[in-house]
């Protein structure tokens, strides 16, 4: 008797489990519901405001079937979070990610190749080639550049006035000014650190190279006489006390130092102004990076849009991606200091009045991307270590760069 | 004839009884076993598997078997050696540091009458605060330049020129060690205090009559009798010290020049910055073996001289 009862109960439970979802008739409702796509980004507060309150509503109004969920992610630990998402199949549909991550995630097989799409050719034709290049991996493009940036020289306004000088155009002028500026708690050059992001504008402008133009070899480039001289010049400036402690991670950091007048000059991106606001405009003057032997060469930064392989709605994600690369949203985000990546938006008269964007656009014409390679993170670590060792005088620039070039050639072949 | 069937009946009924018992017990064990298998056994064996492969995080991607390649790489990697050195140094400094200071605090608290609970709470607070929070606080305390709090007071009170604490290997390690010791004292204190309650008061009274001073009583009675507690503290702190990670990641991130990297921070970097999951797993297996080996050798060493009460 008890046995039968148990079995009966089981049957009832199982059949309820099966039939309940069907009874709801949820299927019909679902089709009428808009399809939700999620996008991850790291927009700053000012940028989020424009993106969430203007860009997305405009897109949703034009595409009634699609609803966009915008999620602001913290930059710290973001890469680890994306890795966990990829491994656990819990990624959003799209993401606006650091340009340098794209080849790495593409190699892992986490991203959709957008160059396979029909509309790709027309879109690519309107995009700046430099930022576009950062999406390339193994014969295909895995993303589209959404906004670009670089670093320019930023000078303390009152320091320049007291020296009776204009922002210098060449490196020699900068060094001469730095020597005059030098004093207790005063350094001419505020360098952001020994990482590649902090060092490359200096290294490149002074004539250094990382690899050949096709990113296949470091030997003969990173250890060329031009590179050795560039690094040695910086090491000598540091030894003379012309470079501030921010170089090796000590205080004052570049932002505090330039505002308080400890540093005559730092280099940074447009966010220096969008984050600090009015105060930054009042206290500083911007100019292109001073010309050295290699010219005025800064480093390309920015963000690319990618679609994950695990996207729930890849077609809708692609629709949003195309929309974000039209002039209207590009120009709207440019008002917050984000530099457009489309040629048509770049030529728009609205941008000509935006002096901040103009200086960065000008600097971008000669800026170089970091090596777009899946092993960039390892390359970057090796180069940063060589630079730091040189500043700490743990070896000669020549030996450090030669050894690092050999190491990097191994990563480039991988 | 009769006997053998009897015996058979007895044994079969015993089996039946045993089975019956298992049947009753298993529903209670299953949830625990299931969780243990899911969160301990499965990750353990899966980690072993990853360490022998060139692992790719994408579900369904190719994961070629590479044999011992990841292990060979770990033994030839200079940075593994450096991280190992720093981890061992961390153990050598912080385990005795925590034990000595923790025990002193415990003995002190045991001897005072008033304010015992207040001080016990105060000393225990660091133990329950988050590693991230205190690591950040230490990073700001030891900020370089004149504005760093420690530097500020050192300059004001002692006239010491500002030190770039986190930009030099040994001062940076000093900061990491200090944090480890400061945060662990409270736990040692609480465990040792509990142990102190088990020491019979008569022994102290007898010793006092014999003319033994405070330190005599401490070294000749307290420490020998609390040998098992010391062993428990030592093994736990030792294993814990091999897990040094968050403070390094937050305070120095391995810098300067990667010279404060410890095993776990380097492993983390390999896995989550360089996507070398196989290599990172191999390192974790090697570290696991090292911890097991150390625990067993110390156990043997300690067991030799346990005092009987």
């Amino acid at each position: 008797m008890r046995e039968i009862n148990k079995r009966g109960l089981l049957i009832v439970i199982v059949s309820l489990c099966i039939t309940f979802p069907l009874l709801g008739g949820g299927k019909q409702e679902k089709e009428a519901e808009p399809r939700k796509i999620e996008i991850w980004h790291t927009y700053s507060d000012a940028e989020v405001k424009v993106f969430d309150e203007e860009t997305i509503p405009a897109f949703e109004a034009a595409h009634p079937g699609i609803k966009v969920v915008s999620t602001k992610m913290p930059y710290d630990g973001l890469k680890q979070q994306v890795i966990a998402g990829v491994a656990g199949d819990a990624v959003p549909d799209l993401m606006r990610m650091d340009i340098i991550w794209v080849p790495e995630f593409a190699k892992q097989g986490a991203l959709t190749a957008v160059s396979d799409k029909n509309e790709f050719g027309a879109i690519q034709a309107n995009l700046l080639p430099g930022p576009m290049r950062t999406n390339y991996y193994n014969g295909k493009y895995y993303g589209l550049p959404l906004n670009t940036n670089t670093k320019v020289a930023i000078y303390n306004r009152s320091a320049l006035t007291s020296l009776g000088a204009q922002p210098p155009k060449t490196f020699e002028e900068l060094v001469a000014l730095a020597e005059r500026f030098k004093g207790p708690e005063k350094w001419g050059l505020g360098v952001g650190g020994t990482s590649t992001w902090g060092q490359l504008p200096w290294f490149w402008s002074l004539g250094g190279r990382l690899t050949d133009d096709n990113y296949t070899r470091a030997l003969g480039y990173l250890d060329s006489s031009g590179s050795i001289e560039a690094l040695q010049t910086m090491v000598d400036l540091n030894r003379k006390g012309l470079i501030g402690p921010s170089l090796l991670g000590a205080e004052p950091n570049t932002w505090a130092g330039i505002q308080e007048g400890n540093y005559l000059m730092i280099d940074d991106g447009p966010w220096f102004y969008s984050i600090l606001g009015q105060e930054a405009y009042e206290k500083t003057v911007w100019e292109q990076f001073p010309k050295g032997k290699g010219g005025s060469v800064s480093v390309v930064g920015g963000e690319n849009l990618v679609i994950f392989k695990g996207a729930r709605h890849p077609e809708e994600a692609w629709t949003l991606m195309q929309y974000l690369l039209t002039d209207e949203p590009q120009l709207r985000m440019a008002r917050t200091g984000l530099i457009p990546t489309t040629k048509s938006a770049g030529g728009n008269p609205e941008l000509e009045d935006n002096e901040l964007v103009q200086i960065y656009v000008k600097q971008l014409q000669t800026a170089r991307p970091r090596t777009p390679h899946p092993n960039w993170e390892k390359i970057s670590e090796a180069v940063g270590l060589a630079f730091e060792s040189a500043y700490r005088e743990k070896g000669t620039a020549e030996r450090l760069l030669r050894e690092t070039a050999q190491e990097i050639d191994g990563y480039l072949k991988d | 004839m009769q006997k053998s069937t009897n015996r058979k009946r007895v044994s079969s009924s015993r089996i039946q009884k045993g089975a019956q018992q298992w049947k009753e017990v298993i529903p209670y064990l299953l949830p625990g076993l299931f969780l243990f298998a899911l969160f301990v056994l499965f990750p353990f064996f899966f980690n072993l598997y990853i360490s022998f492969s060139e692992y790719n995080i994408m579900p369904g991607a190719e994961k070629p078997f590479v044999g011992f390649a990841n292990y060979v790489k770990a033994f030839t990697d200079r940075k593994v050696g450096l991280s190992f050195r720093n981890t061992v140094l961390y153990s050598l400094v912080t385990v005795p540091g925590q034990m000595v200071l923790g025990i002193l605090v415990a003995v002190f608290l045991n001897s005072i009458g008033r304010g015992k609970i207040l001080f016990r709470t105060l000393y225990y607070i660091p133990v329950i605060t988050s590693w991230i929070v205190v690591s950040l606080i230490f990073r700001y305390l030891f900020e370089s330049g004149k504005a760093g709090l420690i530097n500020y007071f050192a300059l004001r009170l002692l006239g010491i020129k500002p030190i770039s604490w986190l930009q030099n290997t040994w001062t940076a390690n000093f900061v990491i060690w200090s944090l480890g010791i400061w945060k662990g004292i409270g736990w040692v204190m609480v465990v040792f205090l509990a142990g102190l309650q088990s020491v019979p008061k008569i022994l102290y009274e007898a010793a006092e009559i014999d003319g033994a001073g405070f330190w005599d009583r401490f070294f000749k009675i307290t420490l020998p009798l609390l040998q098992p507690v010391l062993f428990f503290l030592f093994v736990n702190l030792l294993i814990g010290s091999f897990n040094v990670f968050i403070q390094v990641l937050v305070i120095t991130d391995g810098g300067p020049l990667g010279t404060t990297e410890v095993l776990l921070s380097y492993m983390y970097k390999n896995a989550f910055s360089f996507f070398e999951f196989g290599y990172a797993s191999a390192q974790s297996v090697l570290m696991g073996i090292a911890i097991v080996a150390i625990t067993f050798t110390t156990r043997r060493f300690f067991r030799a001289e346990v005092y009987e009460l």
Side-chain angles (χ1 to χ4, degrees):
Chain A
M1 199 50 203
R2 271 179 68 193
E3 279 296 303
I4 293 166
N5 265 350
K6 258 191 196 164
R7 198 178 292 163
L9 198 67
L10 200 71
I11 290 169
V12 171
I13 290 173
V14 169
S15 52
L16 279 179
C17 285
I18 295 169
T19 50
F20 246 110
L22 298 177
L23 287 174
K27 224 179 176 182
Q28 278 180 337
E29 272 173 21
K30 245 183 199 160
E31 238 146 311
E33 256 178 38
R35 277 142 295 164
K36 262 190 205 166
I37 51 174
E38 187 175 8
I39 177 168
W40 283 3
H41 56 75
T42 51
Y43 281 128
S44 72
D45 289 342
E47 294 156 4
V48 164
K49 208 165 148 50
V50 177
F51 187 70
D52 284 4
E53 291 173 16
E54 296 178 36
T55 303
I56 291 178
F59 171 77
E60 286 176 341
H63 302 86
I66 308 175
K67 192 168 163 23
V68 181
V69 180
S70 139
T71 309
K72 179 181 173 168
M73 304 294 287
Y75 190 82
D76 280 335
L78 181 57
K79 194 174 174 195
Q80 288 73 21
Q81 218 162 340
V82 178
I83 293 170
V86 168
D89 198 17
V91 282
D93 299 272
L94 300 95
M95 181 169 173
R96 169 184 178 263
M97 66 163 63
D98 195 325
I99 52 173
I100 215 65
W101 294 352
V102 175
E104 210 174 353
F105 278 106
K107 189 192 175 195
Q108 294 288 318
L111 307 177
T112 308
V114 289
S115 47
D116 292 345
K117 306 265 184 193
N118 291 330
E119 302 91 338
F120 176 76
I123 297 172
Q124 189 196 12
N126 190 30
L127 287 167
L128 297 175
M132 189 66 221
R133 183 70 175 76
T134 61
N135 292 287
Y136 183 83
Y137 170 69
N138 213 3
K140 287 183 175 180
Y141 287 93
Y142 287 85
L144 297 174
L146 181 60
N147 57 270
T148 180
N149 63 49
T150 185
K151 299 200 286 182
V152 299
I154 297 171
Y155 295 89
N156 181 291
R157 195 185 285 268
S158 60
L160 277 182
T161 316
S162 68
L163 292 170
Q166 292 294 312
K169 301 273 183 218
T170 68
F171 211 84
E172 285 89 40
E173 287 171 42
L174 173 67
V175 172
L177 277 184
E179 265 159 6
R180 285 173 54 205
F181 182 70
K182 190 181 164 187
E185 299 288 312
K186 281 189 192 302
W187 300 270
L189 282 56
V191 183
T194 54
S195 69
T196 45
W197 177 253
Q199 288 288 313
L200 285 176
W202 306 89
F203 185 65
W204 280 337
S205 295
L206 286 169
R209 295 292 304 270
L210 284 185
T211 65
D212 62 330
D213 289 334
N214 296 317
Y215 314 110
T216 54
R217 268 179 76 83
L219 265 177
Y221 296 90
L222 183 60
D223 58 342
S224 65
S225 59
S227 294
I228 295 167
E229 202 189 318
L231 181 55
Q232 195 57 51
T233 306
M234 289 298 282
V235 171
D236 291 343
L237 287 176
N238 187 42
R239 201 183 290 155
K240 282 187 208 156
L242 298 180
I243 300 181
S246 62
L247 171 74
L248 293 174
E251 296 294 320
N253 62 58
T254 53
W255 284 26
I258 195 75
Q259 291 187 87
E260 300 302 319
N262 300 108
Y263 297 143
L264 170 67
M265 177 257 203
I266 64 165
D267 61 319
D268 223 323
W271 50 85
F272 176 78
Y273 291 99
S274 70
I275 292 175
L276 293 179
Q278 199 52 39
E279 207 188 345
Y281 285 95
E282 281 163 13
K283 285 187 174 169
T284 64
V285 188
W286 58 64
E287 184 52 81
Q288 287 199 53
F289 209 83
K291 269 197 190 115
K293 276 195 177 156
S296 162
V297 188
S298 194
V299 55
V300 177
E303 275 83 17
N304 291 333
L305 265 180
V306 296
I307 301 176
F308 285 103
K309 278 245 174 78
R312 303 287 181 271
H313 301 292
E315 279 313 309
E316 287 76 7
W318 176 236
T319 310
L320 175 62
M321 203 156 159
Q322 293 177 69
Y323 170 77
L324 290 175
L325 289 165
T326 56
D327 283 359
E328 200 195 327
Q330 286 275 312
L331 288 170
R332 206 182 283 127
M333 295 312 289
R335 271 180 240 140
T336 64
L338 291 178
I339 297 149
T341 48
T342 58
K343 292 174 187 162
S344 52
N348 194 290
E350 190 186 313
L351 276 188
E352 274 167 26
D353 301 335
N354 192 331
E355 282 178 38
L356 180 62
V357 169
Q358 281 309 318
I359 182 75
Y360 283 97
V361 169
K362 224 188 265 172
Q363 186 74 66
L364 270 169
Q365 286 164 1
T366 53
R368 272 188 216 140
R370 289 158 285 174
T371 316
H373 192 278
N375 278 335
W376 165 251
E377 200 92 26
K378 287 181 196 165
I379 296 171
S380 175
E381 168 127 342
V383 173
L385 212 62
F387 286 160
E388 192 181 347
S389 304
Y391 287 117
R392 291 181 185 278
E393 310 197 14
K394 302 275 184 199
T396 63
E398 187 181 357
R399 182 178 66 83
L400 289 164
L401 290 179
R402 194 185 56 239
E403 283 172 6
T404 311
Q406 282 163 347
E407 187 183 346
I408 290 176
D409 273 357
Y411 297 143
L412 287 172
K413 277 186 202 106
D414 232 0
Chain B
M1 226 15 222
Q2 183 81 20
K3 244 186 183 171
S4 87
T5 46
N6 251 354
R7 200 177 293 158
K8 242 185 195 165
R9 201 171 293 152
V10 167
S11 71
S12 75
S13 82
R14 194 177 283 165
I15 289 170
Q16 253 179 1
K17 206 174 169 191
Q20 187 66 32
Q21 278 178 342
W22 273 108
K23 220 171 152 188
E24 278 165 19
V25 167
I26 270 193
Y28 298 99
L29 292 180
L30 266 183
L33 278 176
F34 175 72
L35 292 176
F36 176 72
L38 188 67
F39 291 112
V40 179
L41 283 184
F42 171 70
F44 178 79
F45 286 106
F46 199 68
N47 185 52
L48 265 183
Y49 156 71
I50 292 176
S51 73
F52 288 106
S53 71
E54 201 186 309
Y55 193 75
N56 183 310
I57 47 161
M58 283 303 286
E62 214 177 299
K63 292 151 186 147
F65 180 79
V66 293
F68 281 94
N70 287 324
Y71 290 88
V72 172
K73 194 173 159 192
F75 278 106
T76 51
D77 188 342
R78 197 182 56 85
K79 284 179 189 162
V80 170
L82 194 64
S83 326
F84 186 72
R85 179 201 77 177
N86 283 330
T87 308
V88 169
L89 278 176
Y90 183 83
S91 302
L92 286 178
V93 173
T94 63
V95 173
Q98 287 173 83
M99 284 185 72
V100 169
L101 292 172
I103 288 169
L104 284 180
V105 171
V107 172
F108 163 71
L109 283 187
N110 205 39
S111 65
I112 62 167
R114 279 173 149 257
K116 204 178 200 170
I117 295 176
L118 173 73
F119 281 110
R120 204 166 57 196
T121 315
L122 286 179
Y123 278 109
Y124 202 69
I125 284 176
V127 182
I128 50 171
T129 39
S130 141
W131 272 107
I132 300 272
V133 173
V134 290
S135 299
L136 284 172
I137 291 175
F138 264 63
R139 200 172 80 188
Y140 292 124
L141 283 179
F142 288 94
E143 199 67 81
S144 59
K146 281 196 300 192
L149 200 67
I150 300 276
N151 275 347
Y152 177 82
F153 283 114
L155 185 67
R156 273 292 166 90
L157 304 176
L158 309 169
I160 298 173
K161 273 207 326 194
I163 299 168
S164 292
W165 291 99
L166 306 179
Q167 283 72 44
N168 297 295
T169 308
W170 297 111
T171 47
N173 266 326
F174 171 79
V175 174
I176 292 167
W177 297 338
S178 317
L179 173 57
I181 293 174
W182 171 78
K183 203 173 180 314
I185 290 176
W187 183 75
V188 173
M189 170 205 75
V190 162
V191 176
F192 204 76
L193 259 181
L196 282 176
Q197 312 309 314
S198 71
V199 180
K201 287 239 156 51
I202 327 167
L203 292 177
Y204 290 119
E205 284 161 13
E208 219 164 323
I209 291 166
D210 290 344
F214 176 81
W215 292 112
D216 278 331
R217 277 174 281 152
F218 179 69
F219 282 112
K220 303 242 162 80
I221 301 175
T222 315
L223 281 190
L225 282 179
L226 291 183
Q227 189 99 7
V229 176
L230 288 180
F231 174 64
F232 170 80
L233 285 170
F234 180 73
V235 170
N236 275 281
L237 289 177
L238 193 64
I239 295 173
S241 70
F242 266 77
N243 284 328
V244 51
F245 172 58
I246 296 175
Q247 57 268 56
V248 176
L249 193 76
V250 174
I251 296 178
T252 66
D253 195 17
L257 290 171
T259 51
T260 59
E261 205 86 76
V262 289
L263 286 172
L264 278 182
S265 66
Y266 185 53
M267 200 185 294
Y268 180 81
K269 208 168 260 177
N270 271 305
F272 294 103
S273 288
F274 303 153
F275 291 173
E276 300 261 9
F277 290 96
Y279 186 37
S281 294
Q283 285 174 38
S284 79
V285 171
L286 289 175
M287 198 178 126
I289 292 172
I291 290 179
V292 169
I294 290 170
T295 313
F296 273 98
T297 44
T298 49
R299 178 166 293 174
R300 181 163 273 183
F301 169 73
F302 262 84
R303 192 174 285 162
E305 35 185 321
V306 166
Y307 282 73
E308 294 286 332
L309 197 67

